[in-house]
Amino acid sequence: MTGRRTSVCALALVLVAGAGGLRSAPATATAPQVAVAPADAPVGAPVSVTLTGWPTGTVQLEVCGNQARRGALDCATGSARQLYVADPQPVAAQLTVAAPPVACPCVVRARALAPDTEDAVAVPVTGTAAIDVTDLTAPVAPAGLDRAGLRLAGVSVAPAERNWSALFALRGEIAIDVDLRNDGTAEVGAAQLSLLTGRPGRATSVVEATDIAPLPAGQATTVRIVVPVDGPLYGRYAVLGRLTTAEMVGGSAAVEFEVQTERYPWGWVALAGLLILVLLVRQFVGWRRDGHLSG
């Protein structure tokens, strides 16, 4: 009876672990995105603006000339529209195309005014989408010095390493890949990436800030950052990031993002399965021996 009870307990352990999930789920990135349809329209026409992956809070939409290189100086701020983002799901709104103070190339700029999160920062999140304002007669923006324009092109969680430490969750860490691009005409100098980790909605563990190397004009780079996590990895985790520099696209000084992933220690489940196999073999041998003795 003791052998049977032990086998049942070991089997229950594997079933519980299996119910929790044995996979590392694909990571989900929520870098703010902006889309405009149609991509060309005259002044006074309505266009649809779709926001994806934006933090909860109020977002301002406005039409800008000169690709919003100088921030509000290039935008029709007086004709801007505001909308409220309730969750990370895509949200769409109608925006009437207004004439910006300077000529195209034009964009629709979205700017988060006051994110409703515990870790909200004073610097707003921004994003742009290209639009061709077909009948615009505004003057060309004054020529100035070459400017850098750092853009966050994407964020993803790197696959978990296949080693003993990861297999048994002996060391808690998550690696993320941050894709950056300099769309400006000058080198991006100092940039810094600050991170928080923890469970989704409770990411409060501060990670030492990472300094980003200078990025030449027109160049792209991927920065891999290994983020330590308190305790062994089991379940779902979130990494919140804030990229800070004086040379972000659209006149903002920072941009935020969040990625989430699931991690489960396969090694312990495999070990439990091996234990069950050993116990079952021992029990089978015991049954055979008892059968021979009875015979």
Side-chain angles (χ1 to χ4, degrees), residues 41-106:
V43 173
V47 294
S48 177
V49 182
T50 302
L51 305 179
T52 305
W54 283 71
T56 301
T58 303
V59 178
Q60 179 166 303
L61 305 176
E62 53 200 353
V63 179
C64 307
N66 191 36
Q67 291 186 327
R69 292 187 178 96
R70 302 180 301 165
L73 292 177
D74 295 328
C75 301
T77 304
S79 301
R81 173 180 177 175
Q82 295 182 1
L83 74 155
Y84 186 79
V85 176
D87 54 56
Q89 299 300 318
V91 57
Q94 293 289 324
L95 175 67
T96 300
V97 177
V102 292
C104 289
C106 296

Side-chain angles (χ1 to χ4, degrees), residues 100-181:
V102 292
C104 289
C106 296
V107 296
V108 171
R109 183 172 77 150
R111 191 160 57 98
L113 300 181
D116 293 344
T117 63
E118 295 181 359
D119 301 311
V121 295
V123 179
V125 179
T126 62
T128 61
I131 183 174
D132 182 15
V133 182
T134 54
D135 60 350
L136 184 62
T137 58
V140 176
L145 298 176
D146 287 346
R147 291 193 58 182
L150 188 64
R151 176 167 62 87
L152 180 66
V155 184
S156 60
V157 175
E161 294 184 2
R162 298 186 180 276
N163 53 36
W164 289 107
S165 178
L167 196 62
F168 289 93
L170 301 178
R171 181 181 60 196
E173 60 183 32
I174 298 172
I176 63 172
D177 291 331
V178 181
D179 300 324
L180 302 171
R181 183 172 183 84

Side-chain angles (χ1 to χ4, degrees), residues 112-289:
L113 300 181
D116 293 344
T117 63
E118 295 181 359
D119 301 311
V121 295
V123 179
V125 179
T126 62
T128 61
I131 183 174
D132 182 15
V133 182
T134 54
D135 60 350
L136 184 62
T137 58
V140 176
L145 298 176
D146 287 346
R147 291 193 58 182
L150 188 64
R151 176 167 62 87
L152 180 66
V155 184
S156 60
V157 175
E161 294 184 2
R162 298 186 180 276
N163 53 36
W164 289 107
S165 178
L167 196 62
F168 289 93
L170 301 178
R171 181 181 60 196
E173 60 183 32
I174 298 172
I176 63 172
D177 291 331
V178 181
D179 300 324
L180 302 171
R181 183 172 183 84
N182 182 2
D183 290 332
T185 56
E187 180 179 85
V188 172
Q192 192 174 70
L193 183 61
S194 303
L195 298 170
L196 295 173
T197 63
R199 300 294 183 179
R202 303 191 304 274
T204 56
S205 298
V206 179
V207 180
E208 184 177 354
T210 300
D211 293 327
I212 307 299
L215 185 61
Q219 298 295 310
T221 186
T222 298
V223 181
R224 172 161 293 187
I225 302 173
V226 178
V227 183
V229 178
D230 293 336
L233 285 175
Y234 187 91
R236 194 162 188 83
Y237 293 85
V239 179
L240 304 182
R242 180 174 182 242
L243 182 66
T244 307
T245 175
E247 299 157 328
M248 293 296 294
V249 169
S252 173
V255 66
E256 295 176 326
F257 63 84
E258 177 183 359
V259 289
Q260 295 185 12
T261 187
E262 285 181 328
R263 294 290 168 82
Y264 296 98
W266 287 75
W268 295 112
V269 178
L271 192 60
L274 180 62
L275 175 62
I276 287 179
L277 181 60
V278 171
L279 292 175
L280 290 177
V281 170
R282 290 184 58 186
Q283 189 170 341
F284 177 75
V285 172
W287 287 341
R288 292 288 302 271
R289 184 175 59 249

